[in-house]
Amino acid sequence: MAATDIERGLSTAEVEERIAAGKINRNMELKTKSVKELIIENLCTLFNLINVILAFLVILTGSFKNLTFLFVVFLNTAIGVIQSMRSKKMVDKLTLLTSKKAIAVRDGSEVELDLDQIVLDDIIRLGRGDQIPADAVVVSGEALVNESLLTGESDLIKKQPGSELMSGSFIDSGLLRARVIHVGADNYVAKINNEAKYVKKVNSEIMNALNAIVRFASIIMIPLGLALFASSVSELWDAAGTPGNSALSWCFSELLAGHVPSSALLSTVGALLGMIPQGLVLLTSSVLAIATVRLARRKVLAQQLYCIETLARVDVLCLDKTGTITSGRMEVEGTYPLPVEGMGAGEGDAAVPVDTTVLDFALANVARATSADANETCQALLNYYADRPVEVSEPLSVIPFSSSKKWSGASFAQGSYVMGAAQFVLSERAFSQVENRVAELADTCRVLVVARVDGFTPDGDMVGEAEPVGFVTIRDEIRTSAAETIGYFNEQGVTLNVISGDDPRTVSSIARVVGVPGADAYVDATTLDTPAKLDAAVDRYHVFGRVTPQQKRELVQALKRREHTVAMTGDGVNDVLALKEADCSVAMAAGSDAARNVAEIVLVDNDFASMPAVVAEGRRSINNLQRSAALFLTKTLFSMGLAALCIALPPYPFQPIQMTLINFFCIGAPGFVLGLEPNNARVRGSFLTNVLKRALPASIAVILAAALDIFVARVFGFNQLTLSTMCLLTSCAASVSLIWRISQPLTPLRVVLFVFVVAGILVGVIGFPELLSIANLSMGQMVILAVIVAFTCSVFFKLATMMDSLKPRRRHAATGFGRGVRVRLGRGGGKVSSTGSTAERFAKRVAADMAQRRESRTVREAEARALEGVAQAQSKKKKGSGAKHSRVTKSAQGIKVSMPSKKKK
């Protein structure tokens, strides 16, 4: 663009033309879900659908007292909606852009625009602290740009005319004008975000277990419900004297006459309600919701309920360096004075205090003198000397930092000093004397040399040859809590990987400082140019540098293929793809909008030290839910078994109102109390397996007791009300036994809970017999009931002891060079198999073979083209020239063409 165009910018007509063509900078950031989407997501679930259908059936009977189960459905849905809305509100508050306006040149004058008003080819003015709103190319001026949110590279990048600027980066120092070359979806940030716009499957064992139970119940309850209803109708038909041709025709005629078989319908609904773990769904939502509230007090925002559980289960934690281990700011690592000949008693140094080195004096005062336009390096020096007793000297002249000179300086009464990159400050002779020392310090930090000069010219150039007086090393500021937090995860057996876009040597040194195991071995991701190399590196290294956003995602995918539960932390756009891929993603609030919006957990105070609190909440939730879930799953399992039993021996003994007593005193109340207790034990084993081991004994005991009750009722001719009462009390006995067992070891709270449960059941049975449909038992019936209760409790404790004696099946994943090996150590011995099913392994093998064939074909074609080119070159030579033929061979880098050397004449 010509200089006149740079000064004039776009005209109004040109802007309107681009707007009409759609070449505007539309906001392509990842957005949070709308209120409507959140409500639909929590409302339209299989769990809610089943309950609505059952409620409709109960309404048909007119027994509205049996609709109390809908309260649980309402509470569960409300908790989900409220938590989702709360997270959305918090994230939307955090998503305020650092820069809301941009300065553009239009019709020869500067105008302030919203970011979405920028059009293609706009000339924008950018200065220190501005966020680049769209991809652009510099047309005038110079600046240092911070691209850490995009690339992970913490070093500032110099931009001059012709350099490209990436949207989302920041101007650290300098002033420039740039022409917009991409807008909207074509911007670099938008392309990264678009790759992250897919629905991420939540990896939660608890959620998967609940969904599996609900799906299984929804499948099995249809045939069981129909069969149970038919059996109950048949009983009613027999009681009515078998009118009509069949029970089915009689039922239809009753319905047409407006007579609903209420008892059959209610008993069926009661059986089906018992199959759905309503209370468990509500308890899980409540426990996790309370956990999110607790975390919010610690400045941690959980955007999904189940992410707390996932983080508690992670065995690999991938850390981004910038913004996670480091604060994103720079700090002084150390100062290294040099012995300077002839300056100790020189005229210029006479006024430097005796207790202050020349290096400290020069650094502190040059930083203060140039603080008006302080970049990150200058700010780090100001912070370093803020509480150090270095005399403040008034500058006589100041030379601010220039990206072209690579140094800054100032003159004082004590002398003139400069600081900057050694290669630009020192002469070749002086630099050669300190080159080895600079290289040694530069292995882990950025090195600046401080030198004495004779003064400065009016144009700001150095006078005389610079003589070094020492060095200062600058590095990323490591968070004070990083080492302690990483030590915590080491103690918990979590594997730590540091993945950064920065120089691998810098990443390795910082990882060593904070205690990451294996930090000495690192890899430059630019060398991982094939999927096989990257896959192999996952098993060999724990520090990765120069990693692209796509490689970060591929590293997470490789870890997940090895059956690891992976958590990822990050704050930049370059972390978005990996955050979306990880099982649990954690973002810093001060990071990019995209990172916050895709992460499940946001650290509002940007403090990595909050992570152990999240793990502790997850452990408390999982361990307590495993204990409480046994109560809820017991009801689900015995309801299914009892429904199947009652198809042959109708009717189903429980009514929905009777299940309310069991649901509250035997399941709900103890479940909630046990679910909210403190518990920081490590999470072990599978959630569903652990729960089933506790629930199966009680379920089997209840089914056997119910079978005995039905047998006794048929033998002694007990009525339906008596049978229902006996089944209710034997079920309560088994549930109380289960509560006693899972409450071990007893605590004062658990003793109070146990007494409350027993007292509540007795009060309900004795005090409200009509409401709960309780029969008045005779002495003989009570004796029979006591025997069955004793049998039920005995069976439960024996089965529970057997379950506890079973050795847990252990699964260990051993990996090597991209292939996972699963080692199962069980009760019957060990078994080794590759990861995935047979079909999955076959598909992977076929895909690998096809890829290898494609690669071989490409190599052959390249060889043929290379040979053809050589042949064409050779045909141009005269025959008989005696020239030797070139030779084409394969090499580690691809195709190698060996050309003959020319003989000297």
Side-chain angles (χ1 to χ4, degrees), residues 137-159:
V137 60
V138 179
V139 294
S140 67
E142 293 183 352
L144 291 177
V145 177
N146 184 338
E147 297 180 346
S148 60
L149 285 179
L150 303 178
T151 65
E153 173 67 67
S154 60
D155 291 337
L156 301 178
I157 310 298
K158 180 183 179 182
K159 301 293 184 179

Side-chain angles (χ1 to χ4, degrees), residues 803-814:
M803 285 290 182
D804 288 343
S805 66
L806 296 177
K807 294 181 180 180
R809 184 181 296 275
R810 301 187 304 276
R811 179 181 294 181
H812 303 281

Side-chain angles (χ1 to χ4, degrees), residues 544-866:
F544 301 82
R546 304 290 187 202
V547 186
T548 65
Q550 288 75 17
Q551 285 178 318
K552 284 191 177 187
R553 176 173 59 184
E554 290 166 4
L555 287 170
V556 172
Q557 289 172 338
L559 289 166
K560 291 174 68 175
R561 284 197 298 271
R562 288 155 171 75
E563 296 193 343
H564 291 298
T565 303
V566 184
M568 175 75 194
T569 69
D571 65 342
V573 175
N574 63 317
D575 301 315
V576 168
L577 299 181
L579 289 171
K580 197 70 180 281
E581 187 64 38
D583 296 306
C584 182
S585 50
V586 182
M588 303 292 169
S592 70
D593 300 333
R596 288 194 298 267
N597 288 342
V598 302
E600 284 98 357
I601 295 174
V602 178
L603 304 181
V604 179
D605 59 355
N606 305 297
D607 191 356
F608 183 50
S610 302
M611 294 281 282
V614 183
V615 174
E617 281 296 335
R619 288 180 172 179
R620 182 191 61 79
S621 302
I622 296 171
N623 290 323
N624 289 340
L625 279 173
Q626 284 184 162
R627 181 187 291 115
S628 300
L631 298 170
F632 293 92
L633 201 57
T634 296
K635 186 194 73 169
T636 298
L637 293 175
F638 85 64
S639 294
M640 290 180 180
L642 199 55
L645 177 66
C646 291
I647 293 173
L649 301 172
Y652 188 79
F654 294 111
Q655 290 188 20
I657 190 64
Q658 291 178 326
M659 295 302 297
T660 302
L661 183 71
I662 297 176
N663 286 338
F664 183 79
F665 287 107
C666 298
I667 299 174
F672 273 88
V673 173
L674 295 175
L676 297 175
E677 280 191 312
N679 194 325
N680 292 321
R682 288 193 184 184
V683 178
R684 302 183 185 279
S686 165
F687 177 83
L688 190 57
T689 301
N690 292 338
V691 172
L692 283 173
K693 285 178 66 175
R694 290 190 174 108
L696 275 175
S699 303
I700 294 172
V702 170
I703 294 171
L704 291 177
L708 274 177
D709 290 333
I710 293 172
F711 174 76
V712 169
R714 286 177 177 261
V715 170
F716 293 99
F718 296 158
N719 60 28
Q720 176 63 29
L721 189 62
T722 301
L723 171 61
S724 178
T725 302
M726 293 177 66
C727 287
L728 174 65
L729 293 176
T730 51
S731 299
C732 288
S735 298
V736 169
S737 301
L738 176 60
I739 293 169
W740 173 266
R741 188 168 182 83
I742 64 176
S743 296
Q744 305 299 322
L746 289 175
T747 62
L749 175 63
R750 294 176 183 178
V751 171
V752 171
L753 172 66
F754 186 79
V755 172
F756 170 77
V757 168
V758 174
I761 293 173
L762 292 177
V763 169
V765 171
I766 298 172
F768 304 94
E770 292 184 6
L771 177 65
L772 298 175
S773 302
I774 304 297
N776 187 14
L777 301 181
S778 65
M779 182 59 67
Q781 291 170 340
M782 285 192 285
V783 171
I784 294 173
L785 177 63
V787 172
I788 296 176
V789 166
F791 169 79
T792 302
C793 295
S794 175
V795 169
F796 165 75
F797 283 110
K798 285 187 177 297
L799 289 175
T801 304
M802 288 175 56
M803 285 290 182
D804 288 343
S805 66
L806 296 177
K807 294 181 180 180
R809 184 181 296 275
R810 301 187 304 276
R811 179 181 294 181
H812 303 281
T815 60
F817 298 103
R819 175 165 182 166
V821 177
R822 184 183 295 121
V823 183
R824 285 195 180 95
L825 301 176
R827 298 178 295 278
K831 180 182 179 183
V832 180
S833 63
S834 61
T835 56
S837 64
T838 303
E840 289 172 337
R841 295 197 301 273
F842 176 75
K844 290 177 182 178
R845 188 164 59 250
V846 170
D849 291 342
M850 292 177 64
Q852 186 175 3
R853 284 197 292 270
R854 283 197 300 269
E855 186 176 351
S856 300
R857 185 168 62 252
T858 303
V859 170
R860 288 196 300 271
E861 292 173 355
E863 288 178 353
R865 287 194 297 270

